[in-house]
Amino acid sequence: MSRITVVLFAALMCLSASVSAAGIAGEAGAGLSYQPHDPSGSRYEVRPVPYLDLDWGDVSLGTDDGLTWNALKANGFSAGPFVNYLPGRTANGELQGLHDVPDMGEVGGFVQYAPADFWRVFASVGQAVGARGGVLGRVGGEVGYPVGGGVIGSSNVTAHFANARQNQAFFGVNGDESLASGIRPYNAGGGLQNVALTQSFEFPLAPHWSLLTSASWIHLTGSAADSSLVKQVGESNQGEVQAAIAYKFN
């Protein structure tokens, strides 16, 4: 999923013998994901992925949220800056003739309300740092619950927004690319890009060890769904499944 996150994960695992002394809590592991090659859903592929859900005081590192700092905390509310990684796109296969999108970083701010450990609502706005980067936003909620036998479930729904520049990077097709790829020209606009629904389960395996699974449904909307790229070689409804083995630090 993230070469930057993989490096961070490897560094954290090298320090696993001393995490308790360092005050790090949470889970770290690795697994596999079956997911779309790119946001248009032109094809699917299996990728190795890290799993990170670590806290060190007011600093957190998560697979989805990136590196965050709870600069402000009061009565369940928290807010602060974050840094995350955005995977790019290689224009091969069905995308041959289009432009590559390089990997990018994202820098922005978030706000979250989590009065209890088992549920939260959140929102974030970030700027993608890169040649084709634009502005992105997220609004969502998550709830966790016991299933039985030590199994913990969680459900998450998140709406993703992007401005025209960011959508154009992944869903736009200019005239020269249209001639090279056979995909009709398209200029993407901004707005709601997709809505994602994720169902996850954590199964205990042994003291400190767990199996983590998740399945996601991703529905493209607005300018992304209307893209000629999606209509000709992609899918507006996409799926993703992941499984990982994780170690819990405490």
Side-chain angles (χ1 to χ4, degrees):
M1 176 183 293
S2 157
R3 285 179 289 188
I4 293 175
T5 307
V6 168
V7 171
L8 291 170
F9 167 68
L12 286 166
M13 292 306 291
C14 290
L15 294 173
S16 61
S18 60
V19 290
S20 295
I24 297 176
E27 295 176 294
L32 294 173
S33 175
Y34 180 68
Q35 64 187 68
H37 165 75
D38 63 283
S40 72
S42 63
R43 68 176 188 271
Y44 284 78
E45 60 191 15
V46 176
R47 296 182 186 178
V49 295
Y51 176 81
L52 296 168
D53 184 12
L54 298 170
D55 297 305
W56 184 14
D58 292 331
V59 176
S60 299
L61 179 62
T63 302
D64 295 326
D65 297 332
L67 186 66
T68 62
W69 174 37
N70 295 314
L72 300 173
K73 295 174 64 176
N75 301 318
F77 284 95
S78 59
F82 74 89
V83 178
N84 207 351
Y85 165 85
L86 298 174
R89 178 193 72 187
T90 302
N92 54 17
E94 295 286 350
L95 306 181
Q96 191 72 41
L98 302 181
H99 58 267
D100 289 340
V101 180
D103 297 342
M104 293 177 279
E106 181 186 5
V107 179
F110 75 93
V111 61
Q112 176 175 278
Y113 179 58
D117 290 338
F118 58 87
W119 73 274
R120 65 177 182 136
V121 291
F122 56 88
S124 68
V125 177
Q127 171 68 52
V129 180
R132 295 182 177 272
V135 177
L136 303 97
R138 294 192 309 159
V139 177
E142 184 174 23
V143 59
Y145 40 84
V147 178
V151 179
I152 302 297
S154 66
S155 302
N156 179 301
V157 60
T158 302
H160 295 86
F161 300 84
N163 70 352
R165 180 180 177 87
Q166 184 70 19
N167 272 341
Q168 183 69 15
F170 287 99
F171 300 101
V173 181
N174 65 32
D176 291 339
E177 292 169 346
S178 178
L179 291 175
S181 66
I183 300 172
R184 295 188 303 275
Y186 183 77
N187 289 317
L192 180 62
Q193 185 188 88
N194 71 68
V195 177
L197 177 62
T198 300
Q199 179 63 52
S200 303
F201 294 99
E202 180 172 354
F203 301 88
L205 298 177
H208 297 286
W209 291 97
S210 299
L211 170 66
L212 301 148
T213 65
S214 69
S216 299
W217 172 70
I218 304 161
H219 176 65
L220 297 182
T221 64
S223 183
D226 292 337
S227 170
S228 58
L229 171 57
V230 174
K231 291 182 179 296
Q232 290 184 235
V233 301
E235 299 179 16
S236 59
N237 290 297
Q238 304 168 17
E240 180 177 334
V241 292
Q242 295 185 356
I245 301 294
Y247 181 84
K248 186 172 184 177
F249 303 105
N250 54 26

